Amino acid sequence: MSGLMRLVYASRSNSRGRFGAPDPVVNSILVQARPHAERDGVSSILYYSNGYFFQCIEGDRLVVERTFARIREDLRHREAGILRLRAIPERLFEPGTIRHIDSEQDVQDFLSQ
């Protein structure tokens, strides 16, 4: 059995950015998170839209749990809630990477609900 896990969470930004505009802290999150991802072999994709972050994190179970614990303590957002946590047979994303994807309309519609 694989020790790989996928954790998906959503949270609200603490930034006072304009509705519909890019969050000014996204770049600082990526700059801080990339060295951790490379070191720990975590793979991740981050969406941001209308004041909400949505992230999928993959990797070894203990590393994913440690990563999410660190994320929950980050003061740039609040109300981080797990949407899905499960064992996976393989990754969707390349190990050691974190990517930011600009929101598409369907993601914006989901997050606005």
Side-chain angles (χ1 to χ4, degrees), residues 9 22-39 42-48 53-57 70-71 74 76-77 96-102:
Y9 78 90
D23 191 298
V25 300
V26 169
N27 191 54
S28 70
I29 290 170
L30 294 172
V31 166
Q32 184 177 358
R34 283 188 171 125
H36 291 288
E38 291 172 8
R39 180 193 68 218
V42 171
S43 50
S44 174
I45 190 160
L46 175 69
Y47 289 93
Y48 171 81
F53 293 104
F54 178 81
Q55 188 170 18
C56 176
I57 305 166
R70 188 172 54 245
I71 288 168
D74 191 317
R76 293 173 287 196
H77 70 133
T97 62
I98 180 169
R99 295 192 175 126
H100 172 247
I101 303 296
D102 289 328

Side-chain angles (χ1 to χ4, degrees), residues 47-99:
Y47 289 93
Y48 171 81
S49 180
N50 298 326
Y52 290 88
F53 293 104
F54 178 81
Q55 188 170 18
C56 176
I57 305 166
E58 300 174 328
D60 176 77
R61 180 178 185 210
L62 293 176
V63 174
V64 168
E65 290 172 353
R66 248 189 351 251
T67 299
F68 186 63
R70 188 172 54 245
I71 288 168
R72 289 185 66 153
E73 297 298 318
D74 191 317
L75 299 177
R76 293 173 287 196
H77 70 133
R78 65 187 182 281
E79 300 171 20
I82 295 174
L83 303 175
R84 176 173 279 179
L85 175 63
R86 67 179 183 165
I88 56 172
E90 62 185 324
R91 295 175 191 245
L92 294 174
F93 314 112
E94 187 70 28
T97 62
I98 180 169
R99 295 192 175 126

